[in-house]
Amino acid sequence: MTVRLADEAISAERELAEFMAGLAGEGAVVSFLGIARARTPKGETVERLVLEHHPRLTARSLDEIAAAALGRFGIASLRIVHRRGAVPPGEPIVFVAAAAAHRRAAFEAVDYMMDRLKTDAVFWKREDTPEGSRWVEPREDDHEARARWIEAPCPE
Amino acid sequence: MKIGFFGRLRDALGDEREVPVESGETVAHLRSRLAGLHPGAAHDLLSPGVRACVGDEMVGEDFLLAGQDRVEFLPPLSGG
């Protein structure tokens, strides 16, 4: 399990190659790359996305999400690499990968980790545009996506 | 006591401020006091979505701050 905060641009090719070099015969690898968008939901041009982090809580939140995925799905290994600081549009924000004996567990683990990263990872996002800077508010649909993974007891 | 700010609060108040803690002061009381001192940031300081954190753990509004070195105020997370 590799979890890392990155100050520099993420190379998806290198991350995937390193991840695959650590495999031990698994038959499925799923990877996801999240990219900084070029426009805000209102259509403004984004000059850069700034990901502010906490000196300890951010790493702890990423570790917790990774450990939960490892314990919940039948995956053999995973990798989370997340940018912090200023990210230009078009550059990766996050790389997530999971490896499993069969594909379903790997797909589900990556889906789960991304939903958790969007709501539970300790980051504050700011979009800088020519019109000014704006802190991004939590999105309701991200919380709805996160809620899909809450395990409720079966009704009696 | 040092008070740390993140996200939009950091824009308004800076990384950190030193404020003497009053005897018996709770998180809720400190929020009100800071809001009075910094009216421009009062809306965010008093927002229930902004959580207080001591020793890297979230604390409630009744938490007593006496004896603590530092408290941090964390706006709602906006995700990775």
Side-chain angles (χ1 to χ4, degrees):
Chain A
M1 165 171 136
T2 299
V3 179
R4 195 172 84 242
L5 273 170
D7 292 313
E8 306 296 333
I10 295 171
S11 163
E13 295 80 4
R14 191 167 64 231
E15 296 299 337
L16 187 60
E18 284 182 14
F19 183 65
M20 292 195 60
L23 295 187
E26 290 80 13
V29 167
V30 171
S31 67
F32 173 84
L33 199 60
I35 313 286
R37 291 188 185 86
R39 297 197 177 278
T40 68
K42 290 179 182 172
E44 300 157 307
T45 301
V46 177
E47 293 175 325
R48 62 178 193 164
L49 180 70
V50 177
L51 290 151
E52 187 176 318
H53 75 291
H54 186 281
R56 293 167 305 279
L57 296 181
T58 301
R60 192 167 87 182
S61 67
L62 300 185
D63 286 342
E64 190 275 322
I65 291 166
L70 210 52
R72 180 165 176 160
F73 303 95
I75 56 173
S77 60
L78 63 81
R79 178 171 290 224
I80 298 174
V81 182
H82 206 298
R83 279 294 302 271
R84 62 182 175 188
V87 183
E91 278 197 11
I93 300 169
V94 62
F95 172 92
V96 175
H102 300 282
R103 70 183 183 283
R104 186 65 57 206
F107 272 120
E108 287 189 338
V110 169
D111 197 16
Y112 169 84
M113 286 190 280
M114 278 313 306
D115 282 346
R116 298 258 347 249
L117 285 166
K118 296 296 285 183
T119 51
D120 300 336
V122 177
F123 289 103
W124 298 277
K125 270 195 302 206
R126 194 185 75 213
E127 290 171 334
D128 291 351
T129 76
E131 289 77 35
S133 296
R134 185 180 70 90
W135 288 96
V136 177
E137 298 292 336
R139 290 165 53 106
E140 189 55 39
D141 54 349
D142 285 336
H143 283 272
E144 287 168 7
R146 164 75 179 90
R148 293 186 301 139
W149 303 100
I150 293 171
E151 288 177 322
C154 294
E156 293 185 8
Chain B
M1 185 177 60
K2 293 184 172 62
I3 307 177
F5 301 102
F6 293 87
R8 65 173 74 238
L9 282 171
R10 194 169 73 116
D11 274 357
L13 298 164
D15 284 348
E16 189 177 84
R17 282 171 184 261
E18 182 93 36
V19 174
V21 63
E22 295 178 354
S23 171
E25 183 154 41
T26 61
V27 165
H29 188 268
L30 176 65
R31 277 184 197 257
S32 302
R33 206 153 59 89
L34 287 171
L37 291 170
H38 307 286
H43 180 264
D44 287 324
L45 281 166
L46 298 174
S47 162
V50 171
R51 309 278 306 275
C53 179
V54 173
D56 291 348
E57 300 296 337
M58 298 301 171
V59 296
E61 292 302 290
D62 294 338
F63 185 86
L64 285 168
L65 292 166
Q68 303 297 333
D69 294 329
R70 180 180 168 87
V71 60
E72 295 171 333
F73 285 102
L74 277 50
L77 307 177
S78 45

